[in-house]
Short mmCIF file of all heavy atoms in Angstrom, two decimals:
data_model
loop_
_atom_site.label_atom_id
_atom_site.label_comp_id
_atom_site.label_asym_id
_atom_site.label_seq_id
_atom_site.Cartn_x
_atom_site.Cartn_y
_atom_site.Cartn_z
N ILE A 209 2.75 26.24 -2.65
CA ILE A 209 3.68 27.29 -3.10
C ILE A 209 3.10 27.91 -4.36
O ILE A 209 2.74 27.21 -5.30
CB ILE A 209 5.08 26.71 -3.34
CG1 ILE A 209 5.70 26.27 -2.02
CG2 ILE A 209 5.98 27.72 -4.06
CD1 ILE A 209 7.06 25.62 -2.15
N ARG A 210 3.02 29.21 -4.38
CA ARG A 210 2.42 29.91 -5.51
C ARG A 210 3.17 31.21 -5.77
O ARG A 210 3.99 31.64 -4.96
CB ARG A 210 0.95 30.23 -5.21
CG ARG A 210 0.75 31.10 -3.98
CD ARG A 210 -0.70 31.47 -3.78
NE ARG A 210 -0.86 32.35 -2.63
CZ ARG A 210 -1.89 33.17 -2.46
NH1 ARG A 210 -2.83 33.23 -3.38
NH2 ARG A 210 -1.97 33.93 -1.39
N THR A 211 2.85 31.83 -6.87
CA THR A 211 3.37 33.15 -7.20
C THR A 211 2.21 34.13 -7.15
O THR A 211 1.16 33.88 -7.73
CB THR A 211 3.99 33.17 -8.60
OG1 THR A 211 5.07 32.23 -8.65
CG2 THR A 211 4.53 34.56 -8.95
N ARG A 212 2.42 35.23 -6.43
CA ARG A 212 1.35 36.21 -6.25
C ARG A 212 1.87 37.60 -6.64
O ARG A 212 2.99 37.97 -6.28
CB ARG A 212 0.87 36.21 -4.81
CG ARG A 212 -0.38 37.00 -4.55
CD ARG A 212 -1.03 36.55 -3.25
NE ARG A 212 -0.23 36.85 -2.09
CZ ARG A 212 -0.35 37.97 -1.36
NH1 ARG A 212 -1.23 38.89 -1.71
NH2 ARG A 212 0.40 38.16 -0.30
N ARG A 213 1.06 38.35 -7.35
CA ARG A 213 1.41 39.72 -7.72
C ARG A 213 0.95 40.65 -6.60
O ARG A 213 -0.25 40.80 -6.35
CB ARG A 213 0.74 40.09 -9.05
CG ARG A 213 1.19 41.43 -9.60
CD ARG A 213 0.52 41.70 -10.94
NE ARG A 213 1.03 42.91 -11.56
CZ ARG A 213 0.64 43.35 -12.75
NH1 ARG A 213 -0.26 42.67 -13.45
NH2 ARG A 213 1.14 44.46 -13.26
N ILE A 214 1.93 41.28 -5.94
CA ILE A 214 1.61 42.16 -4.81
C ILE A 214 1.27 43.55 -5.29
O ILE A 214 0.35 44.20 -4.78
CB ILE A 214 2.80 42.21 -3.82
CG1 ILE A 214 3.20 40.79 -3.38
CG2 ILE A 214 2.47 43.08 -2.62
CD1 ILE A 214 2.12 40.03 -2.66
N SER A 215 2.02 44.05 -6.26
CA SER A 215 1.78 45.36 -6.86
C SER A 215 2.26 45.30 -8.30
O SER A 215 2.69 44.25 -8.78
CB SER A 215 2.48 46.47 -6.08
OG SER A 215 3.89 46.30 -6.12
N SER A 216 2.23 46.42 -8.99
CA SER A 216 2.54 46.40 -10.42
C SER A 216 3.92 45.86 -10.75
O SER A 216 4.13 45.25 -11.80
CB SER A 216 2.39 47.82 -11.00
OG SER A 216 3.34 48.69 -10.42
N HIS A 217 4.89 46.05 -9.84
CA HIS A 217 6.26 45.63 -10.11
C HIS A 217 6.83 44.70 -9.04
O HIS A 217 8.04 44.46 -9.01
CB HIS A 217 7.17 46.86 -10.25
CG HIS A 217 7.01 47.57 -11.56
ND1 HIS A 217 5.86 48.22 -11.90
CD2 HIS A 217 7.85 47.69 -12.62
CE1 HIS A 217 5.99 48.76 -13.11
NE2 HIS A 217 7.18 48.44 -13.57
N PHE A 218 5.98 44.15 -8.18
CA PHE A 218 6.45 43.33 -7.06
C PHE A 218 5.68 42.02 -7.02
O PHE A 218 4.45 42.00 -6.94
CB PHE A 218 6.26 44.11 -5.75
CG PHE A 218 6.66 43.36 -4.50
CD1 PHE A 218 7.65 42.40 -4.51
CD2 PHE A 218 6.02 43.64 -3.29
CE1 PHE A 218 8.01 41.71 -3.36
CE2 PHE A 218 6.37 42.96 -2.14
CZ PHE A 218 7.36 41.99 -2.17
N TYR A 219 6.44 40.90 -7.07
CA TYR A 219 5.86 39.56 -7.07
C TYR A 219 6.46 38.76 -5.91
O TYR A 219 7.65 38.89 -5.60
CB TYR A 219 6.16 38.85 -8.39
CG TYR A 219 5.51 39.50 -9.58
CD1 TYR A 219 6.04 40.67 -10.13
CD2 TYR A 219 4.36 38.98 -10.15
CE1 TYR A 219 5.44 41.29 -11.22
CE2 TYR A 219 3.76 39.57 -11.25
CZ TYR A 219 4.30 40.74 -11.77
OH TYR A 219 3.70 41.33 -12.84
N LEU A 220 5.63 37.91 -5.29
CA LEU A 220 6.05 37.13 -4.14
C LEU A 220 5.76 35.65 -4.39
O LEU A 220 4.64 35.28 -4.75
CB LEU A 220 5.32 37.59 -2.88
CG LEU A 220 5.79 37.00 -1.55
CD1 LEU A 220 7.25 37.39 -1.27
CD2 LEU A 220 4.88 37.48 -0.42
N CYS A 221 6.79 34.81 -4.18
CA CYS A 221 6.68 33.38 -4.39
C CYS A 221 6.84 32.63 -3.07
O CYS A 221 7.64 33.03 -2.23
CB CYS A 221 7.75 32.89 -5.36
SG CYS A 221 7.78 33.76 -6.95
N GLY A 222 6.07 31.56 -2.89
CA GLY A 222 6.16 30.76 -1.68
C GLY A 222 4.79 30.48 -1.11
O GLY A 222 3.78 30.85 -1.69
N ASP A 223 4.75 29.82 0.08
CA ASP A 223 3.46 29.59 0.72
C ASP A 223 3.10 30.70 1.70
O ASP A 223 1.99 30.74 2.22
CB ASP A 223 3.43 28.22 1.41
CG ASP A 223 4.45 28.08 2.53
OD1 ASP A 223 4.83 29.08 3.16
OD2 ASP A 223 4.87 26.93 2.79
N GLU A 224 4.08 31.59 1.97
CA GLU A 224 3.90 32.77 2.83
C GLU A 224 3.56 32.39 4.27
O GLU A 224 3.07 33.22 5.03
CB GLU A 224 2.85 33.72 2.25
CG GLU A 224 3.20 34.24 0.87
CD GLU A 224 2.16 35.18 0.31
OE1 GLU A 224 1.69 36.06 1.07
OE2 GLU A 224 1.80 35.04 -0.88
N VAL A 225 3.83 31.13 4.65
CA VAL A 225 3.49 30.66 5.99
C VAL A 225 4.68 29.99 6.66
O VAL A 225 5.08 30.36 7.77
CB VAL A 225 2.30 29.67 5.95
CG1 VAL A 225 2.02 29.11 7.35
CG2 VAL A 225 1.06 30.35 5.39
N SER A 226 5.26 28.97 6.03
CA SER A 226 6.27 28.14 6.68
C SER A 226 7.56 28.92 6.90
O SER A 226 7.97 29.73 6.08
CB SER A 226 6.56 26.89 5.84
OG SER A 226 7.05 27.24 4.56
N ASP A 227 8.19 28.66 8.04
CA ASP A 227 9.41 29.35 8.43
C ASP A 227 10.32 28.35 9.11
O ASP A 227 9.94 27.70 10.09
CB ASP A 227 9.07 30.50 9.39
CG ASP A 227 10.28 31.35 9.76
OD1 ASP A 227 11.41 30.96 9.39
OD2 ASP A 227 10.09 32.39 10.39
N SER A 228 11.54 28.21 8.62
CA SER A 228 12.47 27.24 9.19
C SER A 228 12.77 27.51 10.65
O SER A 228 13.09 26.61 11.42
CB SER A 228 13.77 27.22 8.39
OG SER A 228 14.40 28.49 8.43
N ALA A 229 12.64 28.76 11.08
CA ALA A 229 12.91 29.11 12.48
C ALA A 229 11.87 28.52 13.42
O ALA A 229 12.07 28.44 14.61
CB ALA A 229 12.95 30.63 12.64
N ALA A 230 10.73 28.09 12.85
CA ALA A 230 9.66 27.54 13.68
C ALA A 230 9.82 26.03 13.86
O ALA A 230 8.89 25.37 14.32
CB ALA A 230 8.30 27.85 13.05
N GLY A 231 10.99 25.51 13.52
CA GLY A 231 11.25 24.09 13.71
C GLY A 231 11.06 23.26 12.47
O GLY A 231 11.15 22.02 12.52
N LEU A 232 10.79 23.88 11.36
CA LEU A 232 10.63 23.17 10.09
C LEU A 232 11.94 23.23 9.32
O LEU A 232 12.52 24.30 9.17
CB LEU A 232 9.51 23.80 9.26
CG LEU A 232 8.11 23.77 9.86
CD1 LEU A 232 7.17 24.61 9.02
CD2 LEU A 232 7.60 22.35 9.96
N GLY A 233 12.38 22.07 8.83
CA GLY A 233 13.62 22.05 8.09
C GLY A 233 13.45 22.57 6.67
O GLY A 233 12.35 22.62 6.14
N LEU A 234 14.57 22.97 6.07
CA LEU A 234 14.59 23.36 4.66
C LEU A 234 14.96 22.13 3.85
O LEU A 234 16.09 21.66 3.90
CB LEU A 234 15.58 24.50 4.44
CG LEU A 234 15.17 25.84 5.06
CD1 LEU A 234 16.35 26.81 5.05
CD2 LEU A 234 13.99 26.44 4.30
N ILE A 235 13.99 21.60 3.12
CA ILE A 235 14.16 20.37 2.36
C ILE A 235 14.42 20.73 0.90
O ILE A 235 13.75 21.58 0.31
CB ILE A 235 12.91 19.49 2.45
CG1 ILE A 235 12.50 19.30 3.91
CG2 ILE A 235 13.15 18.14 1.78
CD1 ILE A 235 13.52 18.60 4.78
N SER A 236 15.39 20.05 0.29
CA SER A 236 15.88 20.45 -1.02
C SER A 236 14.76 20.58 -2.06
O SER A 236 14.70 21.57 -2.79
CB SER A 236 16.93 19.46 -1.52
OG SER A 236 16.39 18.14 -1.58
N ALA A 237 13.88 19.59 -2.14
CA ALA A 237 12.89 19.59 -3.21
C ALA A 237 11.92 20.76 -3.09
O ALA A 237 11.58 21.41 -4.08
CB ALA A 237 12.12 18.27 -3.22
N ARG A 238 11.47 21.06 -1.86
CA ARG A 238 10.48 22.14 -1.70
C ARG A 238 11.13 23.51 -1.90
O ARG A 238 10.51 24.42 -2.45
CB ARG A 238 9.80 22.05 -0.33
CG ARG A 238 8.48 22.81 -0.27
CD ARG A 238 7.61 22.30 0.86
NE ARG A 238 6.26 22.86 0.76
CZ ARG A 238 5.88 23.99 1.34
NH1 ARG A 238 6.74 24.70 2.04
NH2 ARG A 238 4.64 24.43 1.21
N VAL A 239 12.36 23.66 -1.46
CA VAL A 239 13.08 24.90 -1.73
C VAL A 239 13.25 25.09 -3.23
O VAL A 239 13.08 26.19 -3.76
CB VAL A 239 14.45 24.90 -1.01
CG1 VAL A 239 15.29 26.10 -1.45
CG2 VAL A 239 14.26 24.91 0.50
N LEU A 240 13.54 24.01 -3.94
CA LEU A 240 13.71 24.07 -5.38
C LEU A 240 12.41 24.46 -6.08
O LEU A 240 12.44 25.20 -7.08
CB LEU A 240 14.22 22.73 -5.91
CG LEU A 240 14.52 22.62 -7.41
CD1 LEU A 240 15.54 23.67 -7.83
CD2 LEU A 240 15.01 21.22 -7.75
#
């Protein structure tokens, strides 16, 4: 999980890959 600067005023946080809809649960610690 990282923070990435997409443009001058837009930042994106996360791994940009995992999706709960793909069968992966949302676990409290990683969401936090």
